[in-house]
Amino acid sequence: MNHALTTTENTAVAITMGFGDLASFEFLQRTAKAFSSSTMVPTAYQAMVTKGYGDRATVEPNPAALSNCMIALDMATRMNANPLMIMQNLHIIEGRPSWSSQFIIAAINNCGKFSPLRFDLQWLDEIDATYSTFEWEDRRKVEKKHKVRIKNARCVAWAIEKATGERLESAPVTMEMAVNEGWFGKNGSKWKSMPDLMMRYRSAAFFGRIYAPELLMGLPTAEEVHDVFSVDSDGAVTDAGKRAVPPATGNIDPTTGEVRTAELPPYAQEQFDKLLPSWRAAIAAGKTTAKAVIAKAKTKGTLTQEQEAAIRAPIEQPAPQPMQQQAEAVTDVQPKGEPQVMLEKTVGDQLQAAATLDALYEAADLIGEVPDPEQRAALTAVFEERQFALESA
C-alpha cells in the first residue's frame, strides 16, 4: 500500500511515500497535490477553499493544503491505513491535529489485539455541582459561577486482550469529573445534551491512550481539544484550567532558536483618524485611559509619536452655560435614548460587515461604549457568532 514501482535496467524497485529520500519525497508530493485538488477531503486539505457566505463568498488559495496532505499521507503510510480515511478523521483544531473518537474506536476494534470495545455505563445519584463560565462585560473577562444539579454517572471502556484473555479497563469517566475538569460548563458543550455518548467517547480515548498508544500516535481526540481550549475575543487561547495562553507574537529564528518579535504594520493615517474619535470618547467617559488605549492599539499596529500625542491630548470640557441657555438647549436635543440606539445599530452593522478577524476585533472594541447592559450582551452574542463563522471559514 502507498507504493510506486520504478523500473531500472533489470529490476523493479518499490518506492514508499515518505521523507527518507528524494524519490520517496517526490512521490509523496505528487500524491499530496492530487488529494489537495479534491473536494472530498476536509477544507484543511483543499488547495482552494470558499470563505464567506452568500454574495460575499470568495474562493481563496489555502497555502497549508499541500503540507497538510503530506503529513496526513505520511501518517497513513506509518499506520498502514487508507489516506482518505485519515484525512476525514484527522481534525485540525486551533492548530492541533486530533482524531475523531469514532476513528479511535474503529482503530482499536480493527487492530487485532483486542475484542471489540465495550462500555459499562452506570447511572448514579444526583449531585450538586458548580462550574464557571467567562463572559465579556465592558471589555473585561468576568468569571461567573453557576450551580446545577446533575445526575452523576460512571463509564468504563473495556475489551479482552486476545493474547492473554485478560479483561482490560480504561480509567473511569464520571459526570462529576466532567464538571470539575471544566468540560461541562463550556459554551456549546455536548456534556449537557448527550452525556452518555460523551462519556463513552472519553473512556475510549482513555483506553486507547493506555493500551494502544501506537494507534493514537500521541494525538488527542477532537472532543478533548474542544473541551480544553477556547478562543477569546482578543485572540488569546484559554484552557479549561483558566490559564491564558497568549497569541503568538513572533516567529522562530532558525539559526538561534530565539523568538523574534513580529514587526507590525504602521497605522494608516486614514484608519487612525477613523478610530481616534471612539478612543477619545471612551477616555472622556472615564471607561479607559490614554495609556490603555495606546497599549491596545500597539497590539494591532505601530503608532507614530504624533498619533500617540493625539491620543494623550487633554480632553476639552464644554464651557458651563447660563441656566436659561441650558434650559433652551435641553429642548433642542433628541429624545433620551436615541443616540444610544444609534450607537448600538452602528456597532451591530460593523460587526456584521466585518470580513476579517482583525476588522471584527476593531468593531468589538466599540461594544463597551454602549451604555445598556442588555444591548451590550446582544452585541457580544453577535460578535461570538461572527467570530465562529470567520474562524471556521
Side-chain angles (χ1 to χ4, degrees):
M1 183 177 185
N2 299 331
H3 292 73
L5 292 178
T6 299
T7 304
T8 63
E9 292 182 359
N10 300 315
T11 59
V13 180
I15 300 176
T16 303
M17 287 190 298
F19 302 97
D21 55 69
L22 180 59
S24 298
F25 185 75
E26 290 179 346
F27 181 28
L28 180 64
Q29 267 192 320
R30 290 197 301 271
T31 309
K33 187 174 182 180
F35 273 99
S36 66
S37 301
S38 172
T39 57
M40 295 182 63
V41 298
T43 54
Y45 305 98
Q46 294 180 15
M48 302 297 293
V49 294
T50 301
K51 294 189 176 183
Y53 302 93
D55 296 337
R56 297 183 179 178
T58 58
V59 179
E60 300 179 8
N62 177 12
L66 185 63
S67 55
N68 287 346
C69 288
M70 292 176 68
I71 293 172
L73 287 169
D74 181 63
M75 295 185 70
T77 301
R78 286 188 285 159
M79 298 176 67
N80 195 28
N82 180 273
L84 181 60
M85 180 183 69
I86 295 296
M87 293 181 188
Q88 293 285 359
N89 291 280
L90 184 62
H91 304 296
I92 302 174
I93 303 171
E94 305 303 334
R96 294 168 173 259
S98 54
W99 296 118
S100 67
S101 293
Q102 299 95 317
F103 173 82
I104 289 179
I105 295 173
I108 292 172
N109 289 343
N110 292 328
C111 71
K113 295 172 59 177
F114 314 102
S115 65
L117 199 62
R118 295 292 181 262
F119 304 90
D120 286 341
L121 179 61
Q122 179 184 7
W123 289 98
L124 307 174
D125 296 332
E126 290 187 347
I127 59 172
D128 292 321
T130 303
Y131 65 92
S132 299
T133 60
F134 293 87
E135 300 179 7
W136 287 91
E137 294 183 359
D138 294 333
R139 291 178 290 180
R140 292 184 303 171
K141 200 172 187 181
V142 179
E143 180 181 7
K144 293 189 176 182
K145 297 284 188 179
H146 304 271
K147 291 185 178 180
V148 63
R149 187 165 184 82
I150 61 173
K151 191 170 182 61
N152 198 11
R154 181 180 186 273
C155 183
V156 172
W158 64 273
I160 303 298
E161 187 177 26
K162 293 183 178 180
T164 63
E166 181 183 359
R167 173 185 165 118
L168 304 178
E169 295 184 352
S170 71
V173 178
T174 66
M175 288 298 296
E176 185 177 10
M177 176 194 297
V179 175
N180 293 337
E181 292 294 325
W183 310 335
F184 184 88
K186 288 182 63 65
N187 291 334
S189 172
K190 297 298 182 182
W191 286 91
K192 300 176 183 178
S193 56
M194 46 184 70
D196 50 347
L197 180 63
M198 295 302 295
M199 283 192 291
R200 287 181 171 92
Y201 280 171
R202 188 55 51 86
S203 60
F206 284 177
F207 183 96
R209 192 164 289 118
I210 296 171
Y211 299 111
E214 69 278 6
L215 298 178
L216 277 66
M217 301 183 70
L219 302 184
T221 66
E223 288 75 19
E224 286 177 310
V225 177
H226 275 301
D227 283 341
V228 173
F229 290 95
S230 62
V231 179
D232 302 332
S233 63
D234 60 355
V237 179
T238 304
D239 67 11
K242 306 168 190 174
R243 296 184 298 273
V245 183
T249 58
N251 49 31
I252 303 296
D253 189 327
T255 58
T256 64
E258 297 179 351
V259 177
R260 298 179 301 191
T261 302
E263 294 184 2
L264 296 174
Y267 270 93
Q269 192 61 41
E270 181 180 355
Q271 179 190 17
F272 179 81
D273 293 340
K274 181 179 178 181
L275 295 172
L276 182 61
S278 62
W279 291 342
R280 299 273 293 169
I283 296 172
K287 296 181 178 181
T288 187
T289 63
K291 183 178 179 180
V293 169
I294 292 173
K296 178 71 174 178
K298 284 185 175 180
T299 64
K300 307 286 186 180
T302 304
L303 293 171
T304 64
Q305 292 183 353
E306 292 77 9
Q307 290 172 339
E308 290 191 23
I311 297 174
R312 290 196 180 98
I315 304 295
E316 295 182 1
Q317 300 294 336
Q321 296 179 339
M323 293 298 297
Q324 182 177 359
Q325 293 182 7
Q326 290 182 8
E328 293 175 355
V330 169
T331 61
D332 294 335
V333 300
Q334 297 176 344
K336 184 178 180 181
E338 185 173 338
Q340 173 181 322
V341 175
M342 292 300 295
L343 176 59
E344 183 216 0
K345 184 178 185 302
T346 301
V347 176
D349 290 343
Q350 292 186 20
L351 291 173
Q352 293 289 358
T356 65
L357 285 173
D358 286 340
L360 182 66
Y361 294 148
E362 289 181 3
D365 287 340
L366 300 175
I367 294 178
E369 309 297 330
V370 178
D372 191 334
E374 294 183 359
Q375 291 179 345
R376 287 201 304 270
L379 290 171
T380 301
V382 174
F383 163 78
E384 292 175 349
E385 179 181 352
R386 290 291 300 138
Q387 181 189 37
F388 179 80
L390 290 173
E391 290 176 342
S392 302

